[in-house]
Amino acid sequence: MQTIFLTSSPFGPLDNSRTVIGLDPMNRFPEQVERYWRPQARCLVISAFPSDLKSCDFMRDSMEGSLRAAGLGLSVLDLWDDRTKDFSAEALHSYDVVFLGGGHVPTENAFFHRIGLREKIRDFDGIIIGISAGTMNAADTVYAQPELAGEAVDPAYRKFLTGLGLTDINICPHYQMLKDSILDGMRLFDDITYADSRGRRFLALPDGSYVLIRDGKAEVWGEAWQIADGKLTAFCGRDESRSVPSSIY
């Protein structure tokens, strides 16, 4: 049975507003992960930047340090990037935990398609942890919120992509960092994402909040905001949890 954690950042806030060793303790995240973690788990991280091998190795080593600091037993933490030779379903299903790495959403999305991950991960029996871009690409239809300079004004930039189909929830991560950001002369949320939400619904998560999916039920833990039809509304508060009906997404 799959247990899916869709996180903004599981190892602490990217803006360094809090010091975190191991897993981010907010909203009972470590306890939730430990609940489903198998002893000496076999772990895999799938990179969002598979051709940047130096960054891939740094990411893998940093993640291993954080997981061990959290007291989670693991026997291996392997990495899938452009050096990987075997992207088979059999190889994927030999792991207990799969991390969908953070990075640039379209780059990761293209890599996921190249290795056929959507089909292979569908029947994966274990824990899946999405990190930022990995969380966004876990959706059936991905909202690729523009990120890099030029993307918001590029008519060829595709904001909606086919993802892994693990959920129908579209998440905008790092909300506490990005809510006031300017991209290509426009306000990232007010001018771009609000307009993109016409006829759609997004869930904005700050670092420390996450969505847990188990037995087909989704529940958000921690602060979250819903963006729908151009409007922002509070969805869940800090240290609170709330179910996320898939029918509204």
Side-chain angles (χ1 to χ4, degrees), residues 6-249:
L6 302 177
T7 78
S8 183
S9 176
F11 303 116
L14 297 191
D15 57 10
N16 296 315
S17 57
R18 293 180 288 109
T19 299
V20 172
I21 298 175
L23 297 179
D24 194 326
M26 289 188 67
N27 302 301
R28 297 179 56 195
F29 182 63
E31 296 96 315
Q32 296 277 20
V33 172
E34 290 169 5
R35 181 179 178 186
Y36 302 106
W37 193 274
R38 297 172 183 171
Q40 297 304 307
R42 287 178 46 80
C43 303
L44 170 70
V45 54
I46 306 178
S47 177
F49 34 87
S51 63
D52 187 349
L53 304 184
K54 184 176 180 180
S55 295
C56 285
D57 290 339
F58 177 82
M59 172 193 65
R60 194 220 73 86
D61 293 347
S62 177
M63 287 180 61
E64 180 174 359
S66 294
L67 292 170
R68 293 195 184 281
L72 296 171
L74 63 157
S75 57
V76 297
L77 178 59
D78 290 337
L79 173 67
W80 277 9
D81 58 19
D82 280 349
R83 294 169 291 192
T84 305
K85 304 299 182 184
D86 184 4
F87 291 114
S88 67
E90 291 76 15
L92 179 70
H93 290 201
S94 70
Y95 295 97
D96 302 304
V97 182
V98 172
F99 291 90
L100 307 174
H104 185 236
V105 174
T107 301
E108 181 179 63
N109 187 272
F111 182 50
F112 285 178
H113 279 282
R114 176 157 61 88
I115 65 177
L117 187 60
R118 179 183 172 101
E119 295 75 24
K120 294 167 185 171
I121 205 169
R122 182 177 295 123
D123 297 322
F124 175 76
D125 182 16
I127 298 173
I128 299 171
I129 300 179
I131 303 172
S132 190
T135 283
M136 298 166 80
N137 275 315
D140 186 35
T141 298
V142 177
Y143 173 53
Q145 185 184 46
E147 174 185 356
L148 303 180
E151 289 182 342
V153 294
D154 182 357
Y157 181 77
R158 296 175 58 203
K159 292 182 181 177
F160 296 96
L161 308 168
T162 299
L164 297 181
L166 298 174
T167 180
D168 52 7
I169 302 171
N170 289 123
I171 290 175
C172 297
H174 315 303
Y175 183 64
Q176 87 285 357
M177 286 178 53
L178 301 178
K179 62 181 180 179
D180 297 319
S181 294
I182 303 296
L183 181 66
D184 298 328
M186 294 178 283
R187 296 171 296 177
L188 179 60
F189 277 88
D190 296 67
D191 298 328
I192 300 172
T193 300
Y194 286 12
D196 293 336
S197 73
R198 299 291 180 185
R200 301 176 184 271
R201 296 177 188 266
F202 309 140
L203 202 61
L205 299 183
D207 296 346
S209 297
Y210 59 95
V211 172
L212 170 60
I213 303 175
R214 176 82 175 175
D215 296 327
K217 299 177 181 178
E219 192 173 29
V220 64
W221 286 77
E223 287 183 297
W225 289 264
Q226 182 173 275
I227 302 171
D229 293 323
K231 296 180 180 180
L232 176 75
T233 56
F235 188 81
C236 191
R238 183 171 177 173
D239 298 323
E240 297 177 352
S241 62
R242 180 179 174 182
S243 62
V244 187
S246 61
S247 60
I248 72 169
Y249 284 89

